[in-house]
């Protein structure tokens, strides 16, 4: 198991609930440290600035981000998916996420893992994304 997997597994054990303003699929780890919590909020803000070029909704609200975890060393693990394995940006979108998050002050390492389980579905979108796409 690589360091990102350990980080994500620890975070998931610490927090199994999602907040009302995040996509149904996303797990954002709770942290005891105010500094870590601020960094998590900055990471989510960065994720909200990344778009799949074919869809006018950011990847966070789309529900493509399954897990975000950060530890006190500034190591970040992100588990995400894509709308399909044949997605045209499959080779570039995870790298974009990794680079943008790694550029944040306080982040010493960022690893993005693309997973296919659970498979992506439109039910993973936040309410804001559904409204933006006219699905509500």
């Amino acid at each position: 198991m690589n360091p990102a997997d350990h980080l994500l597994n620890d975070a998931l054990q610490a927090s199994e609930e999602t907040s009302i303003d995040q996509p149904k699929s996303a797990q954002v780890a709770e942290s005891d440290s105010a500094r870590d919590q601020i960094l998590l909020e900055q990471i989510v803000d960065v994720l909200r600035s990344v778009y799949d070029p074919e869809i006018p909704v950011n990847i966070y609200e789309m529900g493509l981000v399954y897990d975000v975890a950060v530890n006190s060393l500034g190591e970040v693990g992100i588990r995400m998916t894509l709308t399909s394995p044949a997605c045209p940006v499959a080779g570039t979108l995870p790298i974009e996420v990794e680079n943008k998050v790694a550029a944040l002050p306080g982040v010493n390492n960022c690893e993005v893992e693309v997973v296919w389980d659970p498979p992506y579905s439109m039910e993973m979108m936040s309410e804001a994304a559904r409204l933006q796409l006219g699905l509500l």
Side-chain angles (χ1 to χ4, degrees):
M1 188 177 280
N2 69 40
D5 289 337
H6 283 293
L7 184 61
L8 288 168
N9 287 334
D10 292 347
L12 286 175
Q13 289 173 359
S15 172
E16 289 295 329
E17 296 182 8
T18 59
S19 71
I20 206 157
D21 67 337
Q22 68 186 27
K24 294 176 185 174
S25 62
Q27 297 285 328
V28 178
E30 294 298 320
S31 174
D32 294 334
S33 163
R35 182 179 55 85
D36 292 349
Q37 190 60 40
I38 290 168
L39 185 56
L40 276 170
E41 291 170 12
Q42 292 171 336
I43 292 166
V44 170
D45 286 344
V46 166
L47 295 172
R48 285 186 170 128
S49 75
V50 178
Y51 288 80
D52 180 323
E54 297 179 327
I55 305 166
V57 176
N58 69 70
I59 64 168
Y60 190 80
E61 298 300 331
M62 279 291 297
L64 297 177
V65 177
Y66 289 167
D67 308 307
V68 178
V70 62
N71 67 19
S72 61
L73 301 174
E75 298 170 331
V76 178
I78 298 172
R79 191 172 293 154
M80 65 176 288
T81 195
L82 301 169
T83 54
S84 98
C87 180
V89 294
T92 59
L93 194 61
I95 294 167
E96 178 183 356
V97 169
E98 200 167 86
N99 290 338
K100 285 186 173 184
V101 171
L104 283 170
V107 173
N108 293 315
N109 183 41
C110 178
E111 293 187 22
V112 173
E113 178 185 8
V114 176
V115 297
W116 303 108
D117 188 34
Y120 180 76
S121 72
M122 290 180 35
E123 287 77 37
M124 295 175 172
M125 285 185 212
S126 70
E127 188 173 318
R130 292 172 195 251
L131 282 170
Q132 188 172 353
L133 294 173
L135 300 174
L136 283 182

